[in-house]
Amino acid sequence: MPAEPAPASLPVAAARRRRLRADRARELADLLRHQILTGGFPGGVLPLEDTIATDFRASRNTVRQALDLLRGEQLVERQPGVGTVVVCEKYPHGLDRLQGLAETLHEHGRVTNEVRTVGPVAASGPVAHRLGLPEHTDVLCIERLRRLGGLPLSLDLSYLPMDIGGELLDCDLENTDVFRLLESLTGGPLGHAEITLEAVNADAHSAAVLQAPRGAAVLMLERLTCLPDGRPVDLEFIRFRGDRITMSGVLHRSV
C-alpha cells in the first residue's frame, strides 16, 4: 500500500496545482488573444466555452479563467443571449518599415493630429547628444495627440534640429505625418531609425491626454530617425495606449 504523503507536502502540491492551472489559463488567453487580434472570430463572437475547451483540450475552469483575463484587458465582454464578444479593436503597427502613423494605419481610417505644443526649446544634454548638437542648442519641440476614429491613440513628443525643423512651423502638422513633411523639405526619403520599445506607467499628464487611467501601462516607442547620410533629424518619444495598438514585424535570422 503506497505511503500517504506527509502533511507538510499537501499545501505545496495544492499550490503547484493552482499555479499550473493559472499557467494554462494564461497560455490559453495568449492563443485566444492572437485569434482576436487577427480576425479569427467571424462576427466578433467567440465560440462557446465548451467548444473552446474541446478545441484546446482545456477544462471549463481554465477556459473561464482565460476569458476572465481577456475581459480584464477589455478585449472581450459577456453579453447575455450572445456569448463572449470582441469589444476592443487593436490596430497593428508594423516594426519592419519606417513609416509615420498615418501611413501605417491608413487601412483603418484617418489619423488626426491635435498639435498641443510647437516651438523652439533649448535642448537638454540627452536630446542634444542624440541629435548630434551642442548642449542647449535650440531645437523644435512638437507635441501632438494622435487620434484614430476619434479615439486617442498616441501622444507624440518630437525634437528636431532647427535648420530643418524650423521649416515645419509653416507646414500642416495637423493633417500630415512629420516623416512626409521632412521628406518634402529635404527632397528625398529618410534613411533609417533606431527604436526602443518598452512598457511604462502613464504619468498624470499623459494619462489625462490619452484618456487612460493614471498609472496605466502604455507602450513607449523611442525612435531616432536619420537622413540617408546618417544625420539624426527626428528624436521621438511616442506613448501608445496599449489597449489600442499591437506591435508586429518580420525578423530574419542572419547567418
Side-chain angles (χ1 to χ4, degrees):
M1 181 175 180
E4 294 185 1
S9 68
L10 292 176
V12 174
R16 184 176 292 115
R17 285 195 297 271
R18 286 196 296 273
R19 183 181 65 81
L20 292 175
R21 203 158 45 234
D23 288 345
R24 178 58 178 149
R26 185 180 66 250
E27 293 165 6
L28 178 55
D30 289 343
L31 296 173
L32 293 173
R33 186 187 302 104
H34 175 77
Q35 290 185 278
I36 290 170
L37 298 179
T38 56
F41 299 117
V45 179
L46 274 65
L48 298 175
E49 290 180 3
D50 285 341
T51 302
I52 295 176
T54 299
D55 290 345
F56 291 91
R57 297 183 179 180
S59 69
R60 285 286 298 276
N61 284 339
T62 297
V63 173
R64 288 169 181 161
Q65 289 178 0
L67 294 177
D68 283 344
L69 291 174
L70 297 176
R71 279 193 286 270
E73 297 175 21
Q74 300 182 338
L75 275 180
V76 302
E77 68 178 23
R78 183 79 177 174
Q79 292 187 356
V82 179
T84 302
V85 299
V86 178
V87 294
C88 180
E89 180 179 7
K90 286 194 174 186
Y91 302 104
H93 187 295
L95 291 177
D96 45 9
R97 293 188 64 190
L98 183 55
Q99 292 183 312
L101 192 64
E103 294 174 307
T104 301
L105 302 180
H106 72 278
E107 295 180 356
H108 302 278
R110 179 171 173 265
V111 173
T112 59
N113 309 309
E114 176 188 333
V115 180
R116 299 179 54 83
T117 300
V118 59
V121 298
S124 64
V127 170
H129 174 72
R130 298 295 302 279
L131 290 174
L133 300 171
E135 191 170 343
H136 305 310
T137 300
D138 276 355
V139 295
L140 183 69
C141 175
I142 307 172
E143 183 182 76
R144 296 186 299 170
L145 173 62
R146 321 291 300 274
R147 292 187 176 93
L148 181 61
L151 298 176
L153 184 61
S154 72
L155 181 62
D156 300 9
L157 183 63
S158 304
Y159 298 99
L160 304 99
M162 282 301 297
D163 63 322
I164 295 177
E167 298 186 56
L168 294 176
L169 292 170
D170 296 324
C171 295
D172 186 3
L173 292 169
E174 292 188 351
N175 297 293
T176 315
D177 278 337
V178 167
F179 281 179
R180 285 195 174 276
L181 295 174
L182 287 175
E183 289 178 333
S184 176
L185 292 173
T186 60
L190 296 170
H192 70 278
E194 303 168 8
I195 66 171
T196 300
L197 182 65
E198 61 181 320
V200 300
N201 293 328
D203 59 276
H205 168 71
S206 300
V209 174
L210 290 170
Q211 298 176 18
R214 183 174 181 177
V218 296
L219 284 176
M220 212 272 279
L221 177 68
E222 179 181 331
R223 181 169 60 195
L224 178 65
T225 303
C226 300
L227 296 175
D229 62 4
R231 179 192 175 188
V233 71
D234 184 10
L235 175 61
E236 301 170 277
F237 298 90
I238 306 173
R239 286 169 167 79
F240 291 99
R241 280 193 53 151
D243 59 344
R244 292 178 181 162
I245 201 80
T246 178
M247 299 291 180
S248 62
V250 177
L251 304 179
H252 298 278
R253 184 177 176 87
S254 60
V255 180

